[in-house]
Amino acid sequence: MSQTEKAISLSQVKKNYGDFSALKGIDLEVSPGEFFGFIGPNGAGKTTLIRIIVGIIKPTSGIITVCGYDNLSSSSMAKRLTGYIPDRPYLYEKLTPIEYFDFISGLYSVSKERKLKVGEEMLKMFNLWDWRNELIEGFSHGMKQKVAMSAAMLHDPEVLVIDEPMVGLDPRSVKVVKDFLKDLTKKGKSIFFTTHTLSIAEDLCDRIGIINHGQVVALGTMDELKKHLKSGDSDLESIFLKITEEEEIGGELVPELAPKDSDEF
Ligand code: ADP
Ligand code: MG
């Protein structure tokens, strides 16, 4: 990937379900090594956008590229470079973690050496090594989430797309996942994730996008978001509540918070 190439680039991405417009033209770019957080109320369109980025559903219109590869016309390259961790881990429950890693490694042609090395590292990091030969069906939601996250690392993705990574994890696991993800971005991998835990977004993200009713209503670093709200001491929760509240009252985008053509403040 060249220096100038974006990890994720979205141009005028729209999604309609019948008459309902779930995404109304999303423009967004994520750079290599960037930690990007996407937040918004329930039903705002976060999961829809994530599924479009990873190629599970098709947009009604718009262009999506991953590391420069169009996710429609070059979908197999785009998928190879992407790791996806859904909000609900869909695992084959009659498999053990080790068997599941075998299965995923087969799909992505991961070498046996890499599978064993990464599988062991990840399971040990998550304290699941002793569970490696147990059936996944007996695991808690948090344990399944950890297995899904481990499996997503096997093919060494450049871009990780994660829907609500911390749901169901205990505080120690949240810390482990936060440190792990932060470390990945330091190694140049890019992360696009959604969360309802605003303190986590504030902690981790280089930039944050706020989506409401299928539109990006604010986009920038924490400092930029604060500056634009002229609320120097606000935390992300106050910013989020203010933006989504004004949005609802006015029914229109707050003009000074709407992303400009350049996509940044
Ligand atoms: P979020 O993840 O931000 O909570 P979603 O992306 O799941 O929001 O949903 C955005 C909107 O699109 C919601 O109003 C939801 O009801 C609607 N929606 C999502 N998937 C479908 C679908 N398959 N058919 C119809 N409407 C859908
Ligand atoms: Mg969702």
Side-chain angles (χ1 to χ4, degrees):
M1 183 168 36
S2 76
Q3 287 296 86
T4 52
E5 209 146 84
K6 293 295 172 187
I8 300 174
S9 169
L10 307 173
S11 172
Q12 278 302 298
V13 174
K14 296 184 183 166
K15 180 69 184 178
N16 298 337
Y17 291 112
D19 289 342
F20 175 69
S21 175
L23 296 175
K24 296 173 179 153
I26 306 284
D27 292 310
L28 210 57
E29 286 185 333
V30 177
S31 299
E34 185 169 35
F35 211 132
F36 186 88
F38 207 45
I39 60 178
N42 291 328
K46 302 178 298 293
T47 296
T48 302
L49 187 64
I50 277 200
R51 289 187 175 146
I52 287 174
I53 294 172
V54 301
I56 289 177
I57 56 175
K58 287 201 165 73
T60 303
S61 60
I63 298 170
I64 302 102
T65 64
V66 176
C67 303
Y69 293 97
D70 187 299
N71 90 335
L72 293 175
S73 62
S74 306
S75 66
S76 57
M77 268 316 282
K79 284 197 177 123
R80 189 160 283 275
L81 294 162
T82 310
Y84 171 47
I85 302 157
D87 49 354
R88 267 161 282 156
Y90 300 102
L91 305 170
Y92 294 89
E93 307 230 332
K94 294 290 177 195
L95 300 182
T96 67
I98 295 292
E99 289 166 345
Y100 185 63
F101 295 166
D102 287 343
F103 169 70
I104 296 293
S105 297
L107 291 182
Y108 285 96
S109 311
V110 176
S111 71
K112 192 176 170 201
E113 294 70 35
R114 182 172 169 86
K115 176 189 70 184
L116 292 174
K117 180 172 171 285
V118 176
E120 182 172 345
E121 271 170 20
M122 293 296 298
L123 290 181
K124 285 189 170 162
M125 182 182 82
F126 284 136
N127 272 330
L128 284 181
W129 185 239
D130 291 346
W131 296 77
R132 65 191 178 280
N133 293 317
E134 303 293 327
L135 293 186
I136 291 169
E137 65 184 359
F139 288 14
S140 70
H141 175 87
M143 290 161 79
K144 289 178 188 171
Q145 189 78 350
K146 291 173 186 172
V147 174
M149 201 168 285
S150 303
M153 300 315 301
L154 292 169
H155 69 289
D156 194 22
E158 286 303 315
V159 178
L160 262 191
V161 180
I162 320 176
D163 207 354
E164 291 284 348
M166 312 300 179
V167 171
L169 298 187
D170 59 66
R172 183 174 302 280
S173 304
V174 168
K175 169 89 173 106
V176 169
V177 171
K178 278 167 71 175
D179 290 347
F180 174 70
L181 296 178
K182 193 79 200 168
D183 201 47
L184 280 179
T185 58
K186 285 190 193 136
K187 292 176 186 156
K189 311 286 188 188
S190 311
I191 297 181
F192 182 106
F193 86 117
T194 69
T195 185
H196 282 300
T197 316
L198 302 180
S199 58
I200 289 179
E202 191 166 357
D203 249 22
L204 290 176
C205 294
D206 299 312
R207 277 190 315 146
I208 291 167
I210 304 182
I211 182 172
N212 204 4
H213 302 303
Q215 279 176 303
V216 177
V217 290
L219 180 66
T221 62
M222 270 305 292
D223 281 349
E224 286 166 338
L225 293 176
K226 283 180 193 170
K227 216 184 288 167
H228 257 262
L229 271 184
K230 300 179 179 65
S231 51
D233 55 356
S234 285
D235 58 11
L236 186 57
E237 184 179 48
S238 326
I239 292 173
F240 177 85
L241 291 174
K242 191 162 178 203
I243 287 176
T244 50
E245 177 188 286
E246 284 177 358
E247 229 284 47
E248 272 160 23
I249 291 168
E252 297 280 332
L253 281 180
V254 185
E256 74 269 24
L257 289 172
K260 309 253 182 332
D261 286 345
S262 66
D263 106 351
E264 303 259 336
F265 288 127

